[in-house]
């Protein structure tokens, strides 16, 4: 059975919104290695994340940019988009998740293959956590209090017990924490 593995850049105060505005100064080789290790041949995205990635990454492939290799990996991956509405799926290897999120991801887990990765897509991660469908949650905790913006966990709802599977501190002060469902 495939694992569903999600990763997020998160501030000390739990903010996950707009990491492009607070996380880049912490990005170094250690973080690049960690992020690269979370890539897989199948990516699951929420509509907003997919649309922002589809706008930013395809044109970087085949350039001399330092990001060109990463852009090609993203382009080559199977990209499955979660959306209740219409989505422009013109980025190659893109498709829409069939059925609702729980039904579609349950079916996806049963397909042959490696891990399915989720980068960003906070609402998708929240819903998968609530339904016990997320196998690993990788949090790259940045040593900064952003003090405004969307947080990973909103107020209310049911408690979601997790257990720490692994942890690592980067020289930049970022912590890479890996959680899984509590037994």
């Amino acid at each position: 059975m495939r694992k569903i593995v999600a990763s997020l850049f998160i501030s000390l105060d739990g903010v996950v919104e707009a990491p492009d505005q607070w996380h880049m100064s912490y990005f170094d080789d250690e973080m690049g290695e960690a992020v690269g290790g979370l890539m897989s041949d199948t990516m699951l995205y929420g509509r907003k994340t997919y649309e922002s990635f589809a706008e930013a990454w395809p044109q970087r492939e085949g350039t001399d940019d330092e990001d060109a290799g990463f852009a090609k990996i993203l382009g080559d991956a199977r990209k499955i988009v979660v959306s209740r509405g219409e989505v422009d799926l013109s980025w190659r290897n893109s498709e829409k998740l069939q059925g609702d999120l729980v039904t579609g991801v349950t079916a996806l887990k049963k397909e042959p293959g490696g891990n399915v990765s989720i980068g960003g897509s906070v609402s998708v991660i929240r819903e998968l956590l609530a339904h016990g469908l997320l196998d690993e949650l990788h949090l790259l905790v940045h040593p900064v209090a952003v003090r405004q913006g969307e947080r990973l966990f909103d107020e209310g709802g049911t408690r979601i017990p997790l257990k720490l599977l692994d942890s690592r501190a980067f020289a930049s002060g970022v912590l890479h924490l890996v959680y899984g469902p509590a037994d």
Side-chain angles (χ1 to χ4, degrees):
M1 182 172 280
R2 304 178 94 175
K3 281 185 177 181
I4 307 295
V5 177
S7 61
L8 287 169
F9 299 126
I10 188 168
S11 69
L12 272 179
D13 55 347
V15 173
V16 292
E17 184 177 340
D20 57 308
Q21 297 175 18
W22 48 265
H23 121 93
M24 287 309 291
S25 63
Y26 298 97
F27 198 91
D28 59 12
D29 289 343
E30 284 182 302
M31 188 180 297
E33 183 179 314
V35 171
L38 292 167
M39 298 297 297
S40 67
D41 64 352
T42 304
M43 304 294 294
L44 184 68
Y45 295 112
R47 181 190 51 79
K48 290 179 187 174
T49 301
Y50 173 81
E51 288 176 347
S52 70
F53 279 29
E55 185 178 314
W57 288 103
Q59 64 268 15
R60 294 184 190 174
E61 282 189 55
T63 67
D64 292 333
D65 276 6
E66 62 181 309
D67 296 339
F70 186 72
K72 180 162 182 0
I73 291 170
L74 285 173
D76 289 345
R78 176 184 177 199
K79 293 167 280 297
I80 303 171
V81 183
V82 178
S83 177
R84 293 183 185 99
E86 294 295 316
V87 182
D88 176 5
L89 298 170
S90 56
W91 192 10
R92 65 187 170 96
N93 301 319
S94 297
E95 61 190 85
K96 190 172 173 182
L97 182 73
Q98 298 302 309
D100 66 37
L101 180 63
V102 171
T103 303
V105 169
T106 300
L108 187 60
K109 288 181 78 150
K110 293 178 182 172
E111 291 181 2
N115 293 346
V116 176
S117 298
I118 307 171
S121 305
V122 176
S123 62
V124 171
I125 292 171
R126 281 189 198 129
E127 195 165 339
L128 293 177
L129 278 167
H131 287 90
L133 289 170
L134 198 64
D135 298 291
E136 290 182 11
L137 176 60
H138 292 247
L139 297 177
L140 293 152
V141 183
H142 290 57
V144 58
V146 176
R147 308 196 61 187
Q148 63 181 356
E150 183 179 14
R151 287 173 167 68
L152 172 56
F153 297 107
D154 48 6
E155 300 266 335
T158 58
R159 190 172 300 173
I160 302 170
L162 300 170
K163 69 177 176 186
L164 184 65
L165 302 175
D166 195 14
S167 64
R168 181 174 166 210
F170 298 157
S172 64
V174 171
L175 295 176
H176 182 183
L177 306 175
V178 183
Y179 290 94
D183 296 326

